[in-house]
């Protein structure tokens, strides 16, 4: 690890100014991803601005909106009564991620900024356009078993590794940020980016902006929700594919559907065409299979991740079947 400065401001304004003053400075929250990246020389900030003493923790409800402070730990969210009652999909997704020890440390803001787990990104001996723009993509012709099937470019085929982000995408969350130019609110759909020609940029957050909270509207999707993650082992493994499914149902009829996937794209991937298809349909396996086929139109696999073209639709059908009550877990 390289030498770096460490500061721990008591005020948000001071923290933002400290990061803005140094081109390589970074905010430090739980450190569960950033410190790994620093140890491997993938990120080398000369200054860390520890924000963990800022008053950005806690979960509050204001009317129809739940606000989660950016420093709220993943475990706190997954165990919070308001979340379990109104947004169980979010709790399920968080509990599917990482390990208990990491969830105890990881913050909401840090989870949103989690970087890809592409092995070539972590191996500094290999080319990687995300780590070092213009060097090429080791995964394109390499071992791309974990990689994207939607929204990739010839510069990068990595996926976003977060489970929480998939649930936030299905639940239409908003990311609240503060920076030198003041506060702004970014819909989750616009927060993460597709790689295009600039895979080094994971999000549309400016470097000097601090995530302060996430807000999520309470919607009629809490009763019929399920997060299904398929992975190589049952704990501490990233998704091969995952599905966040939430249904607003009237008896056996789907009034509205929310579907998002993880492990398939550079950002949490919303399945809007499948959602449209499911509107006013009866909850049957046949309809779920048709929705899954619609969702996978346009999917394209690489040499080692062909299996996702079959696993993905099957996971959608299973997640919808459990969410609707057609099947039990
Ligand atoms: Fe780097 Fe993206 Fe290629 Fe992985 S897929 S090697 S992160 S450019």
């Amino acid at each position: 690890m390289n030498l770096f400065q460490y500061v721990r401001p008591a005020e948000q304004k001071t923290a933002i100014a400290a990061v803005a003053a140094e081109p390589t400075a970074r905010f430090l929250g739980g450190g569960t991803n950033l410190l790994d990246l620093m140890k491997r020389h993938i990120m080398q900030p000369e200054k860390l601005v520890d924000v963990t003493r800022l008053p950005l923790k806690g979960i509050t409800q204001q009317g129809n909106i739940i606000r989660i402070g950016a420093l709220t730990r993943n475990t706190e969210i997954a165990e919070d009564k308001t979340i379990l009652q109104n947004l169980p999909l979010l709790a399920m997704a968080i509990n599917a991620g990482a390990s208990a020890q990491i969830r105890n440390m990881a913050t909401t803001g840090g989870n949103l900024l989690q970087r890809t787990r592409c092995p070539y990104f972590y191996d500094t001996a290999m080319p990687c356009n995300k780590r070092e723009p213009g060097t090429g993509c080791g995964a394109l012709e390499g071992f791309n078993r974990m990689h994207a099937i939607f929204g990739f470019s010839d510069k990068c085929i990595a996926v976003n590794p977060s489970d929480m982000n998939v649930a936030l995408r299905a639940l239409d969350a908003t990311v609240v940020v503060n920076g030198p130019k003041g506060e702004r609110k970014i819909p989750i759909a616009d927060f993460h980016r597709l790689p295009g020609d600039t895979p080094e940029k994971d999000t549309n957050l400016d470097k000097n902006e601090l995530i302060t909270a996430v807000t999520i509207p309470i919607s009629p999707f809490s009763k019929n929700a399920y997060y299904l993650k398929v992975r190589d082992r049952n704990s501490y493994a990233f998704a091969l594919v995952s599905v966040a499914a939430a249904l607003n149902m009237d008896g056996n009829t789907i009034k509205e559907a929310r579907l998002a996937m993880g492990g398939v794209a550079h950002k949490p991937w919303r399945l809007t065409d499948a959602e449209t298809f499911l509107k006013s349909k009866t909850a049957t396996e046949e309809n779920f299979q048709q929705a899954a086929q619609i969702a996978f139109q346009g999917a394209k696999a690489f040499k080692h991740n062909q299996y996702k073209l079959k696993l993905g639709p099957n996971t959608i059908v299973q997640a919808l079947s459990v969410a609707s009550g057609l099947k039990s877990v």
Side-chain angles (χ1 to χ4, degrees):
M1 198 185 282
N2 289 351
L3 287 176
F4 59 88
Q5 273 186 301
Y6 171 85
V7 293
R8 192 169 61 190
E11 290 182 2
Q12 206 179 116
K13 211 171 146 187
T14 319
I16 291 167
V19 165
E22 160 63 54
T24 65
R26 288 285 182 273
F27 296 111
L28 174 68
T32 55
N33 192 202
L34 179 57
L35 294 184
D36 278 351
L37 293 165
M38 289 172 66
K39 286 177 197 166
R40 293 172 181 232
H41 302 281
I42 294 158
M43 290 178 74
Q44 300 183 13
E46 287 174 22
K47 186 193 275 183
L48 285 187
V49 179
D50 185 339
V51 293
T52 53
R53 294 281 173 95
L54 300 182
L56 296 173
K57 289 184 186 134
I59 297 163
T60 52
Q61 183 176 345
Q62 291 161 341
N64 205 30
I65 301 288
I66 291 177
R67 182 183 176 97
I68 302 171
L71 291 172
T72 312
R73 308 282 178 181
N74 283 189
T75 301
E76 288 172 52
I77 301 172
E79 293 179 353
D80 183 85
K81 278 186 191 152
T82 306
I83 298 291
L84 288 169
Q85 188 182 334
N86 297 288
L87 307 169
L89 185 66
L90 180 59
M92 282 186 252
I94 287 176
N95 278 329
S99 65
Q101 290 89 343
I102 290 174
R103 293 195 296 272
N104 286 342
M105 280 302 292
T107 63
T108 309
N111 203 333
L112 279 162
L113 298 176
Q114 203 182 150
R115 304 207 71 188
T116 185
R117 305 294 163 155
C118 171
Y120 300 95
F121 176 67
Y122 279 84
D123 184 347
T124 52
M126 296 300 294
C128 173
N129 287 323
K130 185 181 281 296
R131 176 173 23 83
E132 215 175 320
T135 55
C137 170
L140 262 179
E141 301 297 329
F143 188 54
N144 40 38
R145 176 174 177 265
M146 299 292 288
H147 290 73
I149 51 174
F150 292 113
F152 52 80
S153 73
D154 61 353
K155 300 288 190 298
C156 179
I157 60 171
V159 298
N160 185 294
S162 166
D163 293 292
M164 183 190 82
N165 292 347
V166 183
L168 292 180
R169 184 77 179 87
L171 294 167
D172 280 338
T174 298
V175 184
V176 185
V177 309
N178 197 9
K181 293 178 190 161
E183 185 179 278
R184 67 181 178 121
K185 293 176 179 170
I186 311 172
I188 189 79
D190 301 328
F191 185 80
H192 297 99
R193 295 165 58 98
L194 292 179
D197 290 331
T198 53
E200 69 276 14
K201 292 182 184 169
D202 294 331
T203 71
N204 285 315
L205 188 73
D206 290 340
K207 178 238 163 202
N208 300 331
E209 285 180 319
L210 174 69
I211 298 173
T212 56
V214 172
T215 60
I216 308 165
I218 294 175
S219 49
F221 292 97
S222 59
K223 271 192 196 151
N224 294 97
Y226 191 56
Y227 186 76
L228 180 55
K229 176 177 181 176
V230 183
R231 47 189 157 171
D232 285 328
R233 56 176 185 265
N234 206 25
S235 173
Y236 200 39
F238 295 97
L240 299 172
V241 300
S242 67
V243 175
L247 302 170
N248 176 11
M249 297 191 64
D250 181 6
N252 204 28
T253 302
I254 298 163
K255 289 165 83 176
E256 208 183 337
R258 299 276 183 83
L259 277 173
M261 285 193 83
V264 295
H266 200 259
K267 61 191 287 184
W269 195 251
R270 186 84 175 252
L271 310 177
T272 45
D273 289 346
E275 290 177 4
T276 305
F277 168 80
L278 286 169
K279 200 174 167 76
S280 305
K281 295 281 191 310
T282 309
T284 63
E285 180 156 347
E286 194 181 33
N287 280 333
F288 294 157
Q289 275 177 355
Q290 218 171 321
Q293 293 312 314
I294 290 168
F296 264 63
Q297 280 166 9
K300 184 179 173 299
F302 293 88
K303 186 174 177 186
H304 299 284
N305 66 355
Q306 296 282 335
Y307 72 95
K308 289 193 182 187
L309 298 182
K310 194 165 180 189
L311 180 64
N314 286 347
T315 309
I316 293 172
V317 173
Q318 180 68 9
L320 284 167
S321 299
V322 176
S324 65
L326 205 63
K327 283 186 185 169
S328 51
V329 180

